[in-house]
Amino acid sequence: MADRRGLLRTILGGGRVPPPATPAARGAAPTERATAPAEQGDRATRTFEAGRADVSSGLPSGTALLVVTPVSEGFILRGACCCAQTERLGEVYGKPALSLAALVAPGGVLPVNVLEFMQTWSRPMTELTLWLNERLRRHGGDLKLVIWDDSGYQIPWELFWLSNRHGEGEGWLGGLVTVTRWLSIKTAWPEKIRAYSDAHVCTGPVATFIDEAMGVDHGLFEPYRVEPSASMHDLARALRSGEAGLSLVYVACHGEYGASPRECTLGTMPLVHIDNVNLARLSGSATFVFLNACHSGALGYDTDMFNDRVLRGFSEVFLRSGAAGVLATQGAVGDKLAHQLAGELLRHLGEHPGLSVAEALRAMRAKAAGLAPIDLPDAAGAAVNREILPLLYRFMYVYYGSPATLISPELRVGEP
């Protein structure tokens, strides 16, 4: 085990998380909860709790919805599609220990082992496999899959291994299909939330908070009009007011995940500090949020102080405030890789006008879509695992919100 830890440290390098990592920051999973009741808004698309929601209502053409509901033993799955009614997929599945935050970390497992574990876990989920294959048969490459996961188990669904009868074209779900996430959101003001079933175009300047240690990220936004903030607290204050729309909010800093909102941090800001802040500027017009920080996409239940069966996390705060989409990471990510992935995403979107953020992520993951451990020449070697890790990180980044969210940042004055 000591040799493996040393190898992982060599592969991982520095990260956007302050060392040393606590057990909670390494992805300790929250406790299970019972199914939450649904709260119905004015329209079916304004239903933001999945427990008893009519999840098949209002799905756009080519869109499927997979609902993950926690129960005491683990979770149950329901699937719905624009072309089919809601159906239960299998019985009760046990709670897996597959959080990428824990697996891809010093003291965890090698990247190739992560792929092996995900294949082994995916294979017996036959009802889900058949349902996904049927969705692809009906909609092909145009399929958009929204995964509404209320479990808090940090399951890396984008790394579900989708097999088929003939073994051709198999691969990791997030590289084969345009996948986004959703979650139940408890709020007195559901009208502020932008439905995952709607299309959004995000225009305007870019608001940023980039920590000094990640200063190289400033270069990513050189062509655009930028509204910088010196800290996460300053950014939160800037988002509380203002009428002008934003195309993008970009955050690059350290992040931590813990078992309670007091232990989850973004920059130096704990989740409990921003949880009740009204980020009113996000509700005025559609805005995409990119939280390029460790554990920024982790969601969980506090079973200590609040114990109220509410799923919390930084992604939920921005969605509840009106963000059209939130891209964040479920675990620790190295500074260099985080910068490269952000640059690759922005470049891809710039080169393909009209492409949604979710489609761009799928294209980035597609490079690794069919990467099976059995195809690797030296699965235990450091070089192979070092090569796999950047591909694995593309699946660690998860996107919450509409699969039809586009961004068009405003150029600086004087730019063509």
Side-chain angles (χ1 to χ4, degrees):
M1 182 61 75
D3 292 339
R4 175 170 292 183
R5 288 173 179 165
L7 176 58
L8 281 166
R9 289 191 185 95
T10 301
I11 294 172
L12 288 165
R16 299 196 168 193
V17 57
T22 65
R26 289 196 294 267
T31 337
E32 301 94 333
R33 71 172 184 93
T35 304
E39 293 179 1
Q40 179 72 40
D42 295 334
R43 303 187 287 127
T45 53
R46 291 297 175 192
T47 301
F48 294 113
E49 292 196 61
R52 293 196 301 265
D54 180 7
V55 295
S56 63
S57 177
L59 289 176
S61 177
T63 303
L65 181 64
L66 178 67
V67 180
V68 186
T69 304
V71 294
S72 58
E73 304 93 330
F75 65 90
I76 60 174
L77 295 176
R78 285 183 295 156
C81 190
C82 61
C83 61
Q85 293 299 311
T86 305
E87 59 182 292
R88 175 81 172 261
L89 304 175
E91 299 303 320
V92 176
Y93 296 95
K95 174 184 173 182
L98 292 172
S99 163
L100 289 183
L103 294 178
V104 185
V109 301
L110 296 175
V112 68
N113 296 142
V114 176
L115 302 183
E116 291 171 340
F117 293 166
M118 290 306 302
Q119 281 188 320
T120 303
W121 176 74
S122 303
R123 181 192 55 77
M125 302 180 74
T126 54
E127 292 87 349
L128 176 57
T129 297
L130 291 171
W131 183 80
L132 288 169
N133 272 278
E134 178 61 17
R135 307 281 72 77
L136 279 170
R137 187 189 70 80
R138 287 175 177 258
H139 300 291
D142 294 330
L143 176 65
K144 296 175 178 61
L145 175 66
V146 180
I147 301 177
W148 187 332
D149 188 349
D150 279 349
S151 70
Y153 298 159
Q154 300 183 31
I155 300 172
W157 291 107
E158 291 78 6
L159 273 175
F160 181 86
W161 180 262
L162 184 57
S163 60
N164 58 48
R165 182 187 301 271
H166 305 291
E168 297 178 0
E170 298 180 330
W172 307 111
L173 183 62
L176 300 177
V177 176
T178 300
V179 176
T180 63
R181 300 286 194 107
W182 193 247
L183 69 147
S184 290
I185 300 174
K186 293 194 175 184
T187 175
W189 320 112
E191 66 275 5
K192 292 178 61 176
I193 303 174
R194 301 184 192 278
Y196 63 80
S197 54
D198 294 344
H200 310 289
V201 180
C202 307
T203 59
V206 178
T208 65
F209 161 53
I210 299 174
D211 188 91
E212 289 183 5
M214 293 90 188
V216 66
D217 285 16
H218 284 291
L220 299 173
F221 305 100
E222 195 170 316
Y224 309 119
R225 188 158 76 86
V226 176
E227 299 180 10
S229 292
S231 68
M232 191 64 204
H233 293 76
D234 288 345
L235 176 63
R237 282 191 288 268
L239 296 178
R240 289 179 63 188
S241 60
E243 297 181 358
L246 295 166
S247 61
L248 171 64
V249 173
Y250 181 80
V251 174
C253 63
H254 294 303
E256 288 185 322
Y257 175 74
S260 80
R262 296 165 294 168
E263 299 170 5
C264 300
T265 60
L266 196 58
T268 58
M269 175 180 285
L271 176 59
V272 72
H273 187 84
I274 196 175
D275 182 81
N276 198 42
V277 175
N278 185 357
L279 305 176
R281 193 171 180 184
L282 300 181
S283 62
S285 59
T287 303
F288 172 62
V289 177
F290 187 174
L291 304 178
N292 202 3
C294 295
H295 308 288
S296 54
L299 299 166
Y301 293 97
D302 180 287
T303 57
D304 179 20
M305 176 174 286
F306 303 118
N307 198 27
D308 53 4
R309 296 179 178 176
V310 175
L311 199 60
R312 290 184 172 90
F314 288 101
S315 298
E316 188 272 344
V317 171
F318 284 96
L319 290 172
R320 178 163 32 94
S321 297
V326 179
L327 178 61
T329 177
Q330 289 196 311
V333 58
D335 290 346
K336 184 177 180 181
L337 281 171
H339 173 76
Q340 290 174 346
L341 286 168
E344 184 178 348
L345 176 65
L346 293 170
R347 225 173 14 254
H348 196 85
L349 289 170
E351 293 170 356
H352 300 84
L355 194 71
S356 72
V357 176
E359 290 169 330
L361 282 170
R362 173 191 171 183
M364 291 170 59
R365 294 169 180 153
K367 298 176 182 178
L371 179 68
I374 198 170
D375 297 324
L376 299 172
D378 182 14
V384 169
N385 281 280
R386 192 177 294 113
E387 183 179 345
I388 294 173
L389 193 63
L391 302 177
L392 199 58
Y393 274 132
R394 284 163 172 76
F395 294 84
M396 187 183 287
Y397 280 83
V398 292
Y399 175 84
Y400 300 89
S402 168
T405 293
L406 285 74
I407 62 171
S408 181
E410 181 180 338
L411 295 173
R412 291 186 302 173
V413 175
E415 294 287 343

